[in-house]
């Protein structure tokens, strides 16, 4: 076994870290307070490869390995939860389905612009007002009329919808509920009949736009179908396996950032004649956080390594997501505790990290769904 990053991965990590430290982290507070997406930084990410992490170089992407992609998303999470989630969803949910299942023509049409940073980002619309975890229950309908697809329905909680050039949409193509009744369709954002609702008012991640989306007679030519008709659910589960590494990586980044803030504060603040860091109760929180961050990071990189090797990684991605997201919540919570009253203030950074981290055990499959996936895998072996 070799736990070292390659030279290339180390250089990549440093390049992304330096960029995030310069362009992303200093804006995190403002992004949260103003609920404005950080386009200034994101526009610059195209040339660095951050908007086409898994997109092959032939289509203008960086085509980095899965560990390097996880490293980049962790660094973004370290800088700003909102920006990280948008970029993560763009790469892992919007671009990934086209990279994995798209035709040559679809890849040429959608990927180069998405990876460049010159146009908009991308999104994936699975969740509906009446169905989230149980995706088999979605009711957004796509029907064939005169050789074209006509979509009617409503989606909920679509990350990036208002800043996307296209939304990959999971639709029902067979009215009978069954494992082959769903399909994926690429919906360009300017298609008539596609309506993006106002930004959702959220606890955190305020600079990452989330919207309800409605489809009113959205009409698209047959070549917008992504992958095979009837394989939408299977394709979605494959995409979500990769997405879970991303959400886990953001969580590690958020936890790392909160940990660093808490460590600094614990060495500065004095109570009862000594620094907080000299109290054993605080040391235990610090020791637990350091241990948990490191183990989650290892698990994320292990799942990414399996993915890169082309080996099954459904179970490991679910484990990594479960571990990392629940860890981040604990670490951010304890970082606030170390800050005492200041931790609860919006003038200090850790309450934002705590609010941002809270989503991670919910989005892209709740902790309960991860446990279901893991249990199913363990019990059927
Ligand atoms: C900020 C944000 C961004 C998001 N971005 C996207 C996006 O880009 N695209 C997208 O499609 N979706 C997105 N989502 C939606 C997200 O993926 C769903 O909210 C999530 O999958 C849960 O679905 P739900 O909200 O319908 O909850 P439900 O499925 O209704 O579940 C409610 C609760 O019941 C639990 N539960 C459900 N079934 C079971 C069971 N069988 N056993 C035990 N417990 C169960 C769940 O774990 C959860 O705790 C986003 C959500 C948020 C908040």
């Amino acid at each position: 076994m070799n736990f070292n990053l390659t030279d290339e991965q180390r250089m990549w990590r440093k390049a992304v870290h330096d960029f995030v430290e310069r362009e992303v982290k200093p804006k995190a507070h403002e992004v949260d307070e103003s609920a404005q997406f950080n386009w200034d930084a994101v526009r610059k990410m195209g040339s660095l490869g951050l908007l086409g992490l898994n997109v092959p170089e032939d289509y203008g992407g960086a085509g980095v390995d899965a560990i390097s992609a996880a490293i980049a998303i962790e660094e973004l999470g370290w800088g700003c939860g909102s920006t990280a989630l948008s970029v993560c969803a763009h790469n892992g949910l919007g671009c990934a389905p086209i990279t994995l299942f798209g035709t040559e023509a679809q890849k040429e049409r959608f990927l180069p612009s998405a990876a460049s940073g010159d146009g908009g980002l991308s999104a994936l619309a699975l969740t509906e007002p009446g169905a989230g975890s149980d995706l088999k229950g979605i009711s957004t309908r796509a029907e064939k009329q005169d050789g074209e697809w006509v979509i009617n329905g409503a989606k909920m909680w679509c990350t990036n919808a208002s800043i996307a050039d296209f939304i990959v949409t999971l639709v029902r193509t067979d009215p009978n509920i069954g494992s082959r009744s769903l399909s994926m369709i690429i919906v360009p954002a300017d298609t008539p009949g596609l309506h993006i609702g106002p930004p959702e008012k959220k606890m955190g991640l305020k600079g990452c736009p989330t919207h309800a989306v409605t489809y009113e007679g959205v009409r698209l030519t047959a070549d917008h179908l992504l992958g095979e008709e009837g394989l939408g659910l299977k394709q979605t589960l494959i995409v979500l396996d990769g997405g879970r590494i991303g959400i886990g990586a953001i969580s590690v980044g958020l936890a790392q950032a909160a940990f660093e803030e808490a460590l600094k504060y614990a060495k500065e603040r004095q109570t009862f004649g000594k620094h907080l860091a000299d109290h054993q109760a605080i040391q235990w929180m610090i020791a637990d956080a350091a241990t948990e961050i490191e183990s989650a990071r290892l698990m994320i990189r292990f799942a990414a390594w399996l993915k890169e090797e082309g080996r099954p990684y459904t179970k490991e991605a679910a484990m990594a997501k479960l571990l990392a997201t629940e860890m981040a919540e604990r670490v951010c919570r304890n970082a606030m505790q170390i800050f005492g009253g200041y931790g609860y203030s919006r003038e200090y950074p850790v309450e934002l990290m705590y609010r941002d981290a809270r989503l991670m055990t919910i989005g892209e499959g709740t902790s309960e769904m991860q446990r279901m996936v893991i249990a199913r895998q363990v019990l059927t072996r």
Side-chain angles (χ1 to χ4, degrees), residues 104-252:
E104 201 53 36
Q106 287 170 338
K107 289 179 189 176
E108 275 169 16
R109 176 173 170 197
F110 292 105
L111 294 179
S113 150
S116 71
D118 297 335
L121 297 187
S122 60
L124 177 67
L126 308 172
T127 309
E128 298 189 353
S133 306
D134 184 12
L135 284 177
K136 273 191 191 158
I138 66 155
S139 57
T140 296
R141 187 84 170 91
E143 288 174 288
K144 265 193 205 135
Q145 286 177 15
D146 307 324
E148 293 189 325
W149 291 107
V150 179
I151 310 176
N152 284 290
K155 295 288 179 181
M156 193 61 211
W157 298 118
C158 185
T159 300
N160 292 345
S162 58
I163 52 168
D165 276 349
F166 60 88
I167 302 177
V168 175
T169 305
L170 186 67
V171 291
R172 174 164 298 288
T173 39
D174 181 340
N176 303 307
I177 292 186
S179 57
R180 292 184 65 98
S181 58
L182 308 182
S183 306
M184 278 179 163
I185 293 185
I186 310 170
V187 182
D190 56 1
T191 314
L194 182 76
H195 306 293
I196 313 286
E200 295 295 334
K201 292 182 179 149
K202 309 193 296 286
M203 171 185 182
L205 300 164
K206 295 182 182 184
C208 165
T210 322
H211 304 264
V213 181
T214 51
Y215 304 71
E216 263 184 295
V218 168
R219 185 174 276 273
L220 292 161
T221 50
D223 58 357
H224 289 80
L225 179 78
L226 180 57
E228 229 177 281
E229 183 177 342
L231 289 194
L233 186 60
K234 190 175 172 203
Q235 292 172 188
T236 298
L237 297 180
I238 292 170
V239 168
L240 287 179
D241 280 346
R244 282 166 188 161
I245 297 177
I247 295 291
I250 297 178
S251 304
V252 173

